[in-house]
Amino acid sequence: MRGWRHAWMICALVTMTGPAWAARQHGPATGHKADVARDKALVGFQRDLVSVLAPRADALPLLGAALLARPLPNQPDHSSFHTLIDRAAKAQDAGPAIDWVRLADCDARADACPNGDALAALQAKAPDNAAVWLLKLGDDQRQLHGDAVRQDLARAAGAKLYDDYAGISLKALASTVTILPPPAATLDPKSTGGAAGLQVMMVFGSARAQPQPNLPATAKLCDDAADDATLKSDCLKLGKLLEWGSSPLARSLGLHLRETLADDPAQQDDARQARRNLTWQVQNFAALSARAQTDPAVAQHLLALARNGGNEMSLMLAALRNAGIATEAPADWKPGS
């Protein structure tokens, strides 16, 4: 499992879970007066966006508003994350993507996460989505429901797709952050990315709150599959599904399962090379995303890709191809270089 842990860490650090420049959003100010003032202006601007979006009745703008409201301190009840995501779930056009984000509407201090009602709704609305069952697997493991964990894995292996709905969250955010122009006080004079650079930061920074299944728990369970034919079969089926999943994290795990469990050495080698290419893609996408702070054209293009929908993998691959970056690693390239 060590190899997958390394790939998982790379994907988690530099994909949608946070380009390096997005990590600072609403984080501690550096102490300089200009940084403190700009952070205050950013919070105010984000509150204004939420206030403008809050009266909407359709699901996508309410989802965007909820994600923007989630990190804000002391939000009024009518425009809080809880209220907005609850209203989004009740909208006529609401789908399972809303319930997925509603998983985070819970009290971690009371050991009440993920949101039980949202998890039950997902099982009813999206039973063919492996991500739902892997999410339940992590929750059942946390509650020490051993028999249920094995059943969850089997349900995931028999599913038709893997989608963590991050693409819909990115679409909601990218479609809403542009409804107001960023005030001059929110822009860093040292950055040449302008308004688009700030908007990309807000979109990808807010999307970091997207709930994720406990994929390491699945990896650990399948690591013990070599001597259990049924478990091994389910893990290989799941791995094949994850290879075509919506996120680099899911694809990394799927390739790891094929590399470690496949009986054919050629299949193992193919999975190893594909995982190397995935690491190359993730690292280059992180570098491309970072350019959004200094290149408005890159920032605007990333916003356009996010508004088009799709998923995290499709966005990453489209961004690389459009920038002329190969999606296969050079023969002499090594991960981390």
Side-chain angles (χ1 to χ4, degrees):
M1 183 170 156
R2 182 178 301 172
W4 185 73
R5 279 179 179 160
H6 175 70
W8 182 87
M9 288 176 66
I10 292 173
C11 291
L13 285 171
V14 294
T15 58
M16 189 211 70
T17 49
W21 44 263
R24 184 174 172 271
Q25 188 187 32
H26 304 319
T30 62
H32 295 99
K33 289 183 179 179
D35 290 328
V36 173
R38 191 161 52 253
D39 282 354
K40 184 177 180 180
L42 278 169
V43 170
F45 176 52
Q46 198 150 323
R47 287 193 199 281
D48 290 343
L49 285 170
V50 173
S51 296
V52 171
L53 293 165
R56 297 288 295 273
D58 36 346
L60 199 67
L62 286 171
L63 173 60
L67 290 167
L68 288 169
R70 189 178 176 197
L72 296 176
N74 305 316
Q75 271 294 92
D77 183 66
H78 70 275
S79 58
S80 66
F81 171 69
H82 168 75
T83 298
L84 292 168
I85 200 62
D86 186 60
R87 286 180 52 214
K90 294 174 181 175
Q92 287 188 346
D93 59 339
I98 306 298
D99 291 302
W100 188 272
V101 173
R102 195 161 63 99
L103 292 165
D105 184 22
C106 56
D107 186 355
R109 291 172 297 183
D111 197 27
C113 291
N115 183 306
D117 290 340
L119 183 55
L122 283 165
Q123 292 172 63
K125 295 178 184 178
D128 289 329
N129 185 354
V132 172
W133 299 107
L134 294 186
L135 188 84
K136 186 173 182 295
L137 184 153
D139 189 51
D140 283 332
Q141 186 183 67
R142 179 181 62 85
Q143 298 185 58
L144 304 179
H145 297 164
D147 291 341
V149 167
R150 185 63 188 86
Q151 294 170 12
D152 295 335
L153 182 72
R155 291 294 298 266
K160 295 180 179 178
L161 76 160
Y162 176 98
D163 189 357
D164 64 7
Y165 304 107
I168 296 179
S169 289
L170 284 168
K171 181 177 181 178
L173 288 161
S175 302
T176 54
V177 297
T178 56
I179 61 172
L180 294 175
T186 63
L187 302 177
D188 187 344
K190 299 186 294 295
S191 171
T192 55
L198 175 65
Q199 289 161 346
V200 170
M201 182 188 78
M202 295 179 71
V203 168
F204 283 83
S206 297
R208 289 167 55 202
Q210 189 80 1
Q212 292 288 326
N214 187 349
L215 296 183
T218 303
K220 188 175 187 304
L221 182 62
C222 287
D223 274 346
D224 298 328
D227 298 324
D228 184 329
T230 304
L231 177 60
K232 180 178 178 179
S233 175
D234 281 344
C235 288
L236 282 169
K237 283 174 61 180
L238 175 63
K240 191 174 297 184
L241 188 70
L242 293 178
E243 286 189 41
W244 297 99
S246 63
S247 75
L249 290 174
R251 177 162 167 75
S252 178
L253 176 55
L255 292 167
H256 167 77
L257 294 178
R258 177 152 61 101
E259 181 183 345
T260 56
L261 295 177
D263 295 322
D264 183 356
Q267 283 292 316
Q268 296 174 2
D269 290 341
D270 182 75
R272 192 175 299 113
Q273 180 59 39
R275 200 148 56 86
R276 179 173 174 272
N277 287 335
L278 177 64
T279 305
W280 161 267
Q281 293 160 8
V282 167
Q283 289 188 355
N284 277 275
F285 179 69
L288 181 65
S289 301
R291 281 174 49 195
Q293 288 293 277
T294 57
D295 189 333
V298 172
Q300 290 164 1
H301 184 57
L302 288 177
L303 287 171
L305 287 174
R307 281 193 294 268
N308 284 340
N311 59 48
E312 193 180 351
M313 277 298 304
S314 65
L315 186 155
M316 179 177 73
L317 293 173
L320 293 176
R321 292 190 183 107
N322 294 344
I325 300 172
T327 56
E328 293 189 1
D332 59 350
W333 177 81
K334 294 181 180 179
S337 62

